[in-house]
Amino acid sequence: MFERNLSTRAAVAIILSFILVSIIGPHTLNHEDVENWDNLSYWRLNPQGVPPEWYGELVGLPKTEWLQGERQAGAFVFTYDFHYSSSPSDIIFIPNSTGVMRIKIIGPDGREYILWDGYVFGEIHFSKNPSVFVRIAGEKCNVTPDGGNLLFHDAFNVIFSKPTEDCLDHPEFLKGEYKIVVEGAEKEPRIRVLGKSYGLLGTDTVGRDVWTGFIWGMRETIVIAILGSLATVGLALVLGTLSVLSSWVGKIADFVSRLVTVTPVLPVAVSAVVLVAAIDENYVIKASPLAIALIVGILMMGNVSRNVRSMVEEELRKEYVESARALGGSSLWILRKHVSKVLVPYTVYQFALAVPGTIAFITLLGFFNIVPGFNWGTIMSQTIREGATYRLAWWQVVPVGVSIGLLALSFVSLSRRIEEEFLKR
């Protein structure tokens, strides 16, 4: 008994935790990130497809960060604390003015190397300028790598390595404070180091913050799941109950119930969503969450409605029903006053089972590029939507998968408890 109570309390705690996070979490996010989710240029300052920062700390991957600068002797000096086992993927220079500028980096050993010396029109992504690394490799390591080959190497190894002959492929990293000095800038520029880790849940293949998608999508996912499950049990209760009547209403309800039971859910759901949805400028199918919830509710109610019908038929054969009929009670009155008391616990039990199934279903729709609003299906569909080659990145898949698993186990545990109470009665 104690173990059952403990598991029930844990299940309720997990469910309430997800609901609480889905309510509070979105208010902690930058809404510009959400509004620009499909604006690929908005995410250009993020590294692409990198794991979370906490994972990066464990394996020595540099994090993504803005550098703080200060004015010294007419120049702007930015400090970068490098203490990692891998070099950053890029350094981005964002000027607030144009003109001739000289940008150099000074290592902890005092050696300095020129990154840029010329006119600056706009953003500079140093990773896209292989000639800089070829020159620095010659000055620092006495090697002259081919500029084209640098595209397939960590070119920044040359900058953050000790002056050894194999500083490109097998660098010995020189850790400490690096200074990036900008001369000739009228206004303070900004410098962003693109590391190989980012945020709480990393980034996807185009640089979007997975944590933003996960938290913002949680709310709508849970809303659709609850509304869809309510539609499932509500429609099943109505159809299953009415289908036992001998009138034309009962015959129609029975026909619809049987039809939905044998209908293949996934292909019909995809077709139905396409009919009620719209395609935006990015060729993404968008549908109203309420429409998705109703479609899911209708398609998933078949077996539940047949079970409800069987329960109603069994109840109608009992003696107390015959007594009620002898006293003049109509079929609808008997269903409402007596049979409904048996059906309510069962529908609550079915609701607890339907919620995780609905969450898994709408997430699965993401693989078909059907995104009803902004939910966990959005994360699953993003690589398909951008036409990118799918690469299994655990920080994109695991959070959603574990969350669905926890919610499923919690609702199943809760439904078993409801079932036990139902059987006692």
Side-chain angles (χ1 to χ4, degrees):
M1 179 65 70
F2 175 76
E3 291 181 355
R4 287 201 300 270
N5 290 336
L6 184 61
S7 62
T8 302
R9 291 176 182 175
V12 172
I14 291 173
I15 294 170
L16 291 178
S17 297
F18 273 96
I19 293 175
L20 189 63
V21 171
S22 69
I23 295 173
I24 298 176
H27 297 288
T28 66
L29 303 175
N30 182 357
H31 283 221
E32 287 188 9
D33 291 348
V34 179
E35 294 171 0
N36 289 280
W37 186 260
D38 292 313
N39 180 8
L40 302 188
S41 63
Y42 177 83
W43 303 98
R44 71 188 185 283
L45 300 180
N46 281 355
Q48 298 178 353
V50 299
E53 284 184 5
W54 55 266
Y55 175 79
E57 286 292 333
L58 296 176
V59 298
L61 299 178
K63 66 180 181 179
T64 300
E65 58 182 304
W66 291 100
L67 300 186
Q68 298 297 320
E70 59 181 356
R71 197 173 186 92
Q72 297 179 8
F76 292 98
V77 180
F78 297 82
T79 302
Y80 178 49
D81 181 17
F82 179 76
H83 55 275
Y84 306 102
S85 301
S86 180
S87 61
S89 58
D90 200 357
I91 296 178
I92 303 175
F93 177 75
I94 306 173
N96 283 322
S97 60
T98 59
V100 176
M101 300 183 196
R102 181 183 176 93
I103 306 171
K104 59 184 178 181
I105 185 167
I106 304 174
D109 56 359
R111 295 171 179 263
E112 62 178 60
Y113 304 95
I114 304 299
L115 297 178
W116 185 270
D117 191 1
Y119 202 92
V120 174
F121 296 93
E123 287 181 7
I124 300 176
H125 294 246
F126 290 110
S127 63
K128 298 179 180 179
N129 191 3
S131 61
V132 172
F133 301 99
V134 172
R135 174 173 48 79
I136 294 176
E139 296 175 7
K140 189 176 187 178
C141 310
N142 295 320
V143 295
T144 307
D146 182 78
N149 290 335
L150 286 173
L151 298 175
F152 305 99
H153 292 78
D154 288 332
F156 279 88
N157 287 351
V158 172
I159 294 178
F160 292 95
S161 171
K162 295 178 181 179
T164 58
E165 292 185 358
D166 200 7
C167 62
L168 179 61
D169 293 321
H170 301 90
E172 295 180 24
F173 290 108
L174 179 61
K175 300 180 181 180
E177 285 193 352
Y178 285 77
K179 304 287 186 180
I180 300 178
V181 181
V182 181
E183 301 172 349
E186 296 179 0
K187 299 179 181 179
E188 182 177 354
R190 293 187 298 162
I191 293 180
R192 185 167 175 82
V193 176
L194 295 194
K196 294 176 179 174
S197 64
Y198 180 90
L200 293 173
L201 284 181
T203 63
D204 64 10
T205 54
V206 294
R208 290 177 292 206
D209 185 2
V210 176
W211 173 256
T212 296
F214 175 72
I215 293 297
W216 189 267
M218 183 186 298
R219 178 172 60 182
E220 197 160 291
T221 299
I222 291 178
V223 168
I224 295 175
I226 292 176
L227 292 178
S229 300
L230 286 174
T232 296
V233 297
L235 292 172
L237 183 62
V238 172
L239 279 181
T241 303
L242 294 179
S243 65
V244 301
L245 300 177
S246 58
S247 63
W248 62 271
V249 174
K251 292 179 181 179
I252 293 177
D254 185 50
F255 172 76
V256 173
S257 175
R258 290 176 182 272
L259 179 63
V260 175
T261 303
V262 299
T263 299
V265 176
L266 187 58
V268 174
V270 172
S271 302
V273 170
V274 170
L275 291 176
V276 301
I279 301 178
D280 66 8
E281 64 276 5
N282 296 312
Y283 302 100
V284 179
I285 301 174
K286 300 242 179 196
S288 165
L290 292 177
I292 292 292
L294 184 59
I295 290 171
V296 171
I298 292 174
L299 293 176
M300 296 182 68
M301 72 176 181
N303 290 328
V304 180
S305 66
R306 303 312 297 174
N307 292 339
V308 169
R309 175 187 168 88
S310 299
M311 294 176 65
V312 172
E313 288 180 333
E314 183 178 352
E315 288 296 315
L316 292 179
R317 288 194 291 266
K318 293 183 177 179
E319 293 182 0
Y320 77 89
V321 174
E322 297 297 331
S323 301
R325 284 174 175 166
L327 294 174
S330 65
S331 297
L332 287 176
W333 184 86
I334 293 171
L335 291 174
R336 188 175 67 254
K337 289 293 184 179
H338 296 288
V339 179
S340 62
K341 296 178 181 179
V342 178
L343 294 179
V344 169
Y346 176 74
T347 55
V348 174
Y349 164 73
Q350 286 295 332
F351 173 80
L353 288 178
V355 170
T358 305
I359 292 176
F361 182 74
I362 61 176
T363 303
L364 180 63
L365 288 177
F367 286 102
F368 294 90
N369 204 24
I370 298 175
V371 184
F374 196 114
N375 54 64
W376 285 342
T378 306
I379 299 176
M380 293 301 180
S381 70
Q382 56 200 9
T383 51
I384 301 173
R385 289 161 54 185
E386 304 306 332
T389 302
Y390 185 74
R391 178 175 62 88
L392 182 61
W394 60 264
W395 54 91
Q396 292 181 242
V397 179
V398 170
V400 174
V402 170
S403 297
I404 292 175
L406 281 175
L407 283 170
L409 289 174
S410 299
F411 275 105
V412 168
S413 177
L414 196 59
S415 66
R416 290 182 62 185
R417 180 66 175 173
I418 296 171
E419 184 181 25
E420 290 176 1
E421 295 296 326
F422 176 66
L423 292 176
K424 288 180 182 178
R425 298 183 181 182

